[in-house]
Amino acid sequence: MAGGGQAAVSFLTRMAKVAAGLGMAASAASTSLYTVDGGERAVIFDRVRGVLPHTVSEGTHFLVPFLQKPFIFDIRTRPHSFSSTSGTKDLQMVSLTLRVLSRPDVERLPEIFNSLGLEYDEKVLPSIGNEVLKAVVAQFNADQLLTERPHVSALVRESLTQRAREFNIVLDDVAITHLAYGAEFALAVEKKQVAQQEAERSRFLVARAEQERRAAIVRAEGESEAARLISEATTTAGNGFIELRRIEAAKEIAGVLARSPNVSYIPAGHNGQMLLGLNAARTDDDPGQPAAMLMLARCRCCRG
């Protein structure tokens, strides 16, 4: 029994040693391996040599445990937005919002890690963005920021890209997403628009008055020419032309009276006399026309 107990204890001791060895081996293996995912790069810090000058690409790699440590960089393009309030050439305050797409220069990642660290973009882009915006905006008047916006955007893009290159940062795109003026400038622009509209309205009224004046002159000249022609026709043909005009006017008046609902015609005869209770008096001009009909027509015309 004693020999069997000793054998069991010895077996368990050996199993414990094997398990401890396997655990230490697994721990050493896990600390000596690291993985770089897609869209990332690694920079190795060595406790003896410092930051190694090369960049590690995607995949699983070996390192010396407790002597080397990997630092992972995201090299995908990332957006950044920041705002700035700048003064223009004519001393107007303008608020601008700039949006940039940035990524690190992969070959210069060790330098970036040494000088800026992992949060390189948050440390650099807001400061150089404000600097470039203020420098570019100060070259233009407030209204030129709208009329020459493509030129302003190109200057900002060129200056900011060149400035970011000094920090080993690559800018894929730079765009001005928002532009706002101060309240005083907005009020001045509104007043200017109102003044321009009033000036346009005044020019329109002057042009209309000029056209009306010309129309009145042409109308007066036409009436004068018509009077001259009538005078010549009367001199040549006598009063026949005037009599013709009188007949035409009488026909036109008769047509208007016939179409008017306020004029009533009472035929001649005993029916008309009974209706009006008047004597069958005749007018001197037209014996066949009763005086009652003329009186009623005149009354109706006056009331109409």
Side-chain angles (χ1 to χ4, degrees):
M1 293 294 293
Q6 291 178 354
V9 170
S10 177
F11 176 76
L12 291 176
T13 302
R14 287 195 300 270
M15 290 297 296
K17 291 180 179 180
V18 170
L22 291 176
M24 293 179 63
S27 177
S30 64
T31 56
S32 63
L33 294 175
Y34 67 97
T35 301
V36 180
D37 295 330
E40 296 179 344
R41 294 291 186 275
V43 174
I44 304 300
F45 173 72
D46 191 289
R47 297 182 186 275
V48 178
R49 294 176 294 172
V51 178
L52 300 183
H54 61 276
T55 302
V56 182
S57 59
E58 297 96 336
T60 301
H61 306 275
F62 291 95
L63 53 77
V64 180
F66 307 108
L67 185 63
Q68 293 179 339
K69 182 179 180 180
F71 290 91
I72 307 299
F73 278 86
D74 186 357
I75 63 170
R76 291 181 288 254
T77 301
R78 294 190 297 176
H80 300 274
S81 297
F82 45 89
S83 301
S84 175
T85 301
S86 307
T88 61
K89 188 176 181 180
D90 54 353
L91 304 180
Q92 296 291 336
M93 299 306 296
V94 181
S95 298
L96 298 100
T97 301
L98 196 65
R99 183 177 185 271
V100 299
L101 299 177
S102 66
R103 56 184 175 84
D105 187 350
V106 177
E107 301 299 328
R108 302 299 182 103
L109 282 179
E111 298 179 17
I112 295 176
F113 181 74
N114 275 329
S115 59
L116 298 173
L118 294 176
E119 302 297 331
Y120 62 93
D121 48 359
E122 298 297 335
K123 296 177 180 178
V124 172
L125 291 179
S127 59
I128 65 174
N130 281 298
E131 175 190 354
V132 169
L133 277 178
K134 291 180 183 298
V136 173
V137 169
Q139 303 176 20
F140 297 89
N141 292 329
D143 56 342
Q144 290 178 328
L145 294 178
L146 289 177
T147 59
E148 301 181 17
R149 183 163 182 170
H151 181 48
V152 175
S153 297
L155 283 180
V156 172
R157 184 182 302 109
E158 180 182 355
S159 301
L160 192 57
T161 301
Q162 183 177 0
R163 192 80 172 85
R165 273 292 182 184
E166 299 176 4
F167 298 92
N168 302 311
I169 299 175
V170 179
L171 299 184
D172 293 329
D173 184 62
V174 179
I176 298 175
T177 58
H178 179 69
L179 175 64
Y181 294 98
E184 296 81 4
F185 183 79
L187 182 61
V189 171
E190 182 179 357
K191 290 182 178 179
K192 181 179 178 181
Q193 293 293 331
V194 172
Q196 289 179 348
Q197 293 176 0
E198 291 293 334
E200 290 293 335
R201 183 173 180 274
S202 299
R203 282 195 291 268
F204 170 75
L205 294 177
V206 170
R208 187 175 68 176
E210 179 66 18
Q211 292 296 328
E212 291 177 351
R213 184 185 67 82
R214 293 180 180 178
I217 292 174
V218 172
R219 190 181 305 111
E221 291 177 351
E223 293 176 354
S224 176
E225 182 67 17
R228 186 184 63 82
L229 293 176
I230 292 174
S231 178
E232 292 180 355
T234 303
T235 303
T236 304
N239 295 331
F241 180 76
I242 297 177
E243 292 297 331
L244 179 61
R245 290 294 188 183
R246 184 181 298 172
I247 293 172
E248 292 176 352
K251 289 175 62 178
E252 184 178 355
I253 294 172
V256 172
L257 293 176
R259 291 189 297 270
S260 175
N262 296 324
V263 176
S264 299
Y265 293 93
I266 301 175
H270 296 288
N271 293 333
Q273 295 174 6
M274 294 176 61
L275 178 63
L276 295 175
L278 299 173
N279 293 327
R282 305 291 183 175
T283 61
D284 296 336
D285 295 337
D286 189 1
Q289 183 72 18
M293 188 184 80
L294 294 177
M295 293 173 61
L296 182 57
R298 290 169 183 167
C299 292
R300 296 287 186 120
C301 289
C302 294
R303 286 185 298 176

